[in-house]
């Protein structure tokens, strides 16, 4: 009888997992109708999973410029979510700056996405680490709502 219940529980858990994956897929595709149309043309799904077309975002850099993902069309884009108070972010940033300085900017672009800090905090972080790549403010959390980072 124990074996019967184990099988039932396994099927139940598997059903929940399949349902979760399906709902996650649907929510990713439905993030932005414009992105979904573009992805359909490219025969790719829009979402935050590996292999998907990245959802469009637009934000303001610390220099007051507007930057959208579509502005970087044709380039490999590395989006790094950070916070000035984050220990691991402070450790990785010098390495990101070093790699960015060695890359062909016609091929690859880095974008730093701040986790809801003030312009002043982000500017201090940029100056401290001599960051040349664009840093986006995210004071309202709109961009991280799209990309849903898990930890920093």
């Amino acid at each position: 009888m124990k074996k019967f219940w184990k099988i039932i529980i396994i099927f139940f858990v598997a059903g929940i997992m399949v349902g979760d994956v399906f709902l996650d897929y649907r929510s990713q595709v439905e993030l932005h109708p414009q992105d979904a149309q573009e992805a359909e043309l490219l025969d790719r799904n829009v979402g935050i999973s590996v292999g998907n077309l990245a959802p469009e975002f637009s934000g303001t850099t610390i220099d007051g410029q507007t930057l959208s993902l579509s502005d970087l069309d044709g380039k490999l884009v590395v989006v790094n979510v950070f916070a000035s108070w984050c220990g691991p972010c402070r450790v990785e940033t010098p390495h990101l700056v070093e790699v960015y300085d060695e890359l062909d900017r016609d091929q690859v672009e880095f974008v730093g996405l701040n986790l809801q800090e003030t312009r002043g905090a982000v500017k201090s972080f940029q100056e401290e680490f001599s960051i040349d790549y664009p840093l986006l403010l995210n004071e309202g959390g709109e961009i991280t709502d799209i990309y849903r980072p898990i930890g920093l």
Side-chain angles (χ1 to χ4, degrees), residues 2-58:
K2 283 184 179 180
K3 194 173 192 177
F4 172 76
W5 284 110
K6 286 181 183 178
I7 292 171
I8 295 294
I9 290 172
I10 289 171
F11 276 110
F12 179 72
V13 170
I16 290 173
M17 291 172 61
V18 167
D20 184 52
V21 168
F22 175 74
L23 291 175
D24 185 49
Y25 166 78
R26 287 192 49 124
S27 70
Q28 290 174 14
V29 171
E30 294 173 2
L31 282 174
H32 298 280
Q34 175 183 347
D35 288 344
Q37 291 171 352
E38 184 177 330
E40 187 177 307
L41 293 173
L42 297 173
D43 196 29
R44 297 186 58 195
N45 294 322
V46 173
I48 57 174
S49 297
V50 174
N52 288 353
L53 185 65
E56 175 66 27
F57 65 79
S58 182

Side-chain angles (χ1 to χ4, degrees), residues 17-130:
M17 291 172 61
V18 167
D20 184 52
V21 168
F22 175 74
L23 291 175
D24 185 49
Y25 166 78
R26 287 192 49 124
S27 70
Q28 290 174 14
V29 171
E30 294 173 2
L31 282 174
H32 298 280
Q34 175 183 347
D35 288 344
Q37 291 171 352
E38 184 177 330
E40 187 177 307
L41 293 173
L42 297 173
D43 196 29
R44 297 186 58 195
N45 294 322
V46 173
I48 57 174
S49 297
V50 174
N52 288 353
L53 185 65
E56 175 66 27
F57 65 79
S58 182
T60 304
T61 67
I62 57 173
D63 301 325
Q65 302 294 317
T66 299
L67 178 68
S68 299
L69 181 60
S70 57
D71 295 338
L72 307 172
D73 196 27
K75 294 182 181 182
L76 172 66
V77 179
V78 176
V79 178
N80 180 52
V81 180
F82 75 96
S84 64
W85 48 261
C86 165
C89 301
R90 298 181 72 77
V91 170
E92 76 181 356
T93 298
H95 301 289
L96 290 170
V97 168
E98 181 181 349
V99 169
Y100 182 72
D101 289 342
E102 295 174 4
L103 293 174
D104 178 357
R105 308 249 173 94
D106 292 330
Q107 302 286 323
V108 180
E109 183 63 69
F110 282 20
V111 175
L113 174 57
N114 184 256
L115 190 66
Q116 297 181 298
E117 292 183 280
T118 65
R119 181 181 304 271
V122 178
K123 184 71 173 166
S124 294
F125 188 80
Q126 178 196 36
E127 290 171 355
E128 180 180 348
F129 292 102
S130 301

